């Protein structure tokens, strides 16, 4: 075999580096895609000069829009729940004037309501004109459902407590803070708008013979 020239060796080394770089890039893109999929977080970028909107695949999935569909700000706005559309548009316009953009709103996807959180950074030119927005959209539907179920459970406990005249409470021994149900407030004739008493104050609601020595 003939010895390879220095130029050939450099060319092979450059080719090898390119292969390694492409493999590393592919790996990083895979990790990013999986992270977005697991977190239900899509990212996006809006060119405000050209009105061109770019979404990652997960963002298309979050909005229920076929992947690869050409996008504009108007298409994004039309995907939002009708009752939230004005709110989102007003918040976006305010963001272009410098207000932080961090909102929650609803979508209609396959005739079902989804909740998302959106946050973005706006890029301005030297004259202070907004030229680009970069942000993320996270599907928080499950969080909202759990939040609603928690509220329903709390309301049910309060109603049950009123019917039975039973109050409930919780005490954090580390901080001394307590939490009361509505019926506990009623039993002790304390206004709802007041913070539940700490341990030393709570003891004073009992007659002397039932207080700790």
């Amino acid at each position: 075999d003939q010895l390879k020239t220095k130029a050939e060796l450099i060319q092979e080394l450059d080719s090898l580096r390119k292969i390694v770089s492409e493999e590393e890039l592919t790996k990083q893109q895979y990790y990013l895609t999986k992270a977005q999929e697991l977190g239900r977080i899509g990212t996006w970028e809006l060119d405000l000069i050209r009105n061109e909107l770019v979404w990652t695949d997960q963002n298309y999935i979050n909005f229920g829009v076929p992947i690869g569909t050409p996008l504009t700000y108007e298409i994004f706005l039309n995907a939002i729940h009708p009752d939230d559309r004005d709110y989102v548009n007003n918040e976006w316009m305010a963001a272009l004037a410098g207000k932080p953009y961090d909102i929650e709103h609803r979508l209609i996807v396959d005739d079902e309501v989804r909740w998302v959180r959106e946050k973005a950074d706006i890029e301005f030119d030297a004259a202070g004109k907004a030229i680009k927005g970069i942000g993320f959209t996270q599907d928080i539907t499950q969080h909202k459902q759990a939040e609603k179920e928690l509220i329903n459970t709390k309301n049910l406990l309060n109603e049950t407590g009123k019917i039975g005249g039973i109050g409930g409470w919780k005490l954090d021994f580390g901080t001394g803070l307590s939490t009361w149900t509505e019926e506990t407030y009623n039993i002790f004739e304390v206004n709802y708008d007041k913070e539940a008493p700490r341990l030393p104050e709570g003891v004073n609601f009992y007659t002397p013979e039932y207080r700790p020595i």
Side-chain angles (χ1 to χ4, degrees):
D1 294 339
Q2 295 181 346
L3 293 176
K4 294 183 179 179
T5 65
K6 183 178 180 180
E8 288 174 332
L9 289 172
I10 291 175
Q11 185 177 5
E12 287 186 3
L13 183 58
D14 287 341
S15 298
L16 181 59
R17 285 173 177 167
K18 184 178 180 181
I19 292 172
V20 172
S21 297
E22 289 176 349
E23 289 178 348
E24 184 63 25
L25 179 60
T26 300
K27 185 190 298 184
Q28 293 301 324
Q29 288 175 333
Y30 171 79
Y31 290 151
L32 176 60
T33 300
K34 279 299 175 184
Q36 291 197 348
E37 179 183 330
L38 293 172
R40 298 183 178 181
I41 300 173
T43 51
W44 52 267
E45 179 176 319
L46 176 61
D47 185 326
L48 294 162
I49 306 301
R50 297 184 177 87
N51 191 23
E52 293 176 353
L53 180 60
V54 178
W55 283 354
T56 58
D57 287 355
Q58 186 59 45
N59 220 54
Y60 277 103
I61 293 171
N62 287 349
F63 279 82
V65 176
I67 294 174
T69 301
L71 301 165
T72 62
Y73 176 72
E74 289 72 25
I75 291 175
F76 152 75
L77 206 58
N78 286 332
I80 294 170
H81 191 292
D83 294 341
D84 292 350
R85 213 166 280 162
D86 286 343
Y87 163 71
V88 172
N89 186 56
N90 290 338
E91 288 297 306
W92 179 248
M93 292 300 111
L96 299 185
K99 180 183 176 181
Y101 186 77
D102 188 352
I103 64 174
E104 294 179 0
H105 63 82
R106 292 167 294 174
L107 307 172
I108 298 292
V109 179
D110 297 329
D111 296 324
E112 293 184 357
V113 176
R114 288 186 188 175
W115 276 92
V116 294
R117 178 195 176 194
E118 289 201 83
K119 186 173 182 178
D121 290 325
I122 310 299
E123 183 179 327
F124 299 87
D125 63 14
K129 180 181 178 182
I131 57 175
K132 183 185 294 185
I134 300 175
F136 73 82
T137 307
Q138 182 176 19
D139 187 332
I140 59 171
T141 305
Q142 291 183 350
H143 170 74
K144 284 292 185 180
Q145 289 172 342
E147 194 176 70
K148 183 178 180 181
E149 289 174 4
L150 182 61
I151 291 172
N152 290 339
T153 300
K154 181 181 177 181
N155 291 338
L156 177 60
L157 287 173
N158 284 330
E159 288 302 316
T160 304
K162 288 178 182 178
I163 294 171
I166 301 171
W169 54 269
K170 180 176 69 175
L171 175 64
D172 186 325
F173 286 98
T175 63
L177 295 174
S178 61
T179 304
W180 285 5
T181 63
E182 288 184 8
E183 190 57 24
T184 303
Y185 278 95
N186 291 332
I187 291 171
F188 288 106
E189 299 181 348
V190 176
N191 292 331
Y192 297 146
D193 58 353
K194 289 187 177 181
E195 184 181 73
R198 292 174 178 266
L199 180 57
E201 300 166 345
V203 170
N204 292 330
F205 283 97
Y206 296 89
T207 56
E209 63 268 26
Y210 292 108
R211 296 175 190 172
I213 300 174

